Amino acid sequence: MTTMENPTIDVSGTTFAAARELVADGTSDEIDANDNGHESRDRPTAPFTTAVVAKGKSYLAYLFLGVCSSVLYLPPAADNTSILFENLRGGKEGEDEATHNFEVVPMALELCYHKPLRAVDFQWATTTFIGKNRVTNDSNGNATADEDEFNKRLQVQIEKFNELYRDVKVGDRYLLQYIPYGGISLFLNGECLGTVGQIGGRHESNDVTDNDDNDGEQALELRSIYEQQQLAKTIYSIWFGEYAFSESMKNELLTPLHPPVEVPPEMTNTQGSGEAVEGQDDGEKHEE
């Protein structure tokens, strides 16, 4: 794809795109004025292909050696704190539909590594920091059956995500993107390694039999946009949770860029407004 005029920002010598187009079908690149996006008949089009701009940046070092540079991408009108999912609410079955309305905001975090790391290092960090930050509904041992099932579905998706990691060398880049209704995708140097958290349907594990309805390994898909946002919040908590991987990195990424990145004219040609839309927690597919 072509790049915009003056399309980059600098993070301690590492160059990042100032604006990106996020697409839920497994592609991600800088804004292209001739790309009108992709459509889906099964889900809302607006959140599916959207433009985001750099909102925060960070350079992380340990013992004077660089670890990674990173950039947080959000819609132009969104606050950096959108990554904290503070607006997430509702979602319990049986509640009035009005309680299921919440903001839906696409987002991405790109990290460029300055030292080689193994897949097992990322898997350890994911398990450790999600474990520290995750608050389950059964924390007091009083979870309902529905809450238990939801926590199982969430755990299955976290395990699927953790399997996506690959070894990285100096200069490699991970991009973690979340597009509401589309899921949470992990890219390595522009290649989509996989997407988790799709809504609806189910995939049976090879270990599951028809007679074992209680098998905790059954890989159920998430049932609603609310559950999907809970998963996104859980995964992003590795960097933005109360117990973040690096507090300094978290604070830098949450600090708005000054001056803010200007919205390029090409952004108006992308599919989707890039603004928050209202979601309904009905667990069903949507049509335009």
Side-chain angles (χ1 to χ4, degrees), residues 76-91:
D79 293 331
N80 290 41
T81 54
S82 298
I83 195 75
L84 303 178
F85 292 87
E86 293 176 331
N87 63 323
L88 189 56
R89 61 187 182 277

Side-chain angles (χ1 to χ4, degrees), residues 112-177:
C112 179
Y113 291 92
H114 306 311
K115 60 177 292 184
L117 291 168
R118 301 169 298 168
V120 293
D121 298 325
F122 293 107
Q123 291 164 347
W124 174 86
T126 295
T127 301
T128 299
F129 289 97
I130 283 181
K132 289 182 177 182
N133 286 294
R134 188 176 174 192
V135 178
T136 60
N137 292 321
D138 61 349
S139 57
N140 295 321
N142 298 317
T144 66
D146 286 341
E147 290 168 342
D148 259 342
E149 288 303 312
F150 165 60
N151 288 326
K152 290 177 183 177
R153 292 194 295 275
L154 200 67
Q155 184 60 35
V156 166
Q157 298 300 316
I158 292 170
E159 291 172 0
K160 288 171 63 177
F161 174 79
N162 219 7
E163 294 172 357
L164 300 178
Y165 288 116
R166 302 290 183 268
D167 297 347
V168 301
K169 58 185 182 296
V170 174
D172 281 349
R173 298 185 182 222
Y174 269 134
L175 178 74
L176 176 65
Q177 76 169 37

Side-chain angles (χ1 to χ4, degrees), residues 226-241:
Y226 170 80
E227 290 190 0
Q228 187 185 76
Q229 287 214 308
Q230 285 281 14
L231 175 64
K233 177 180 181 179
T234 300
I235 292 175
Y236 279 104
S237 74
I238 301 166
W239 301 275
F240 297 97

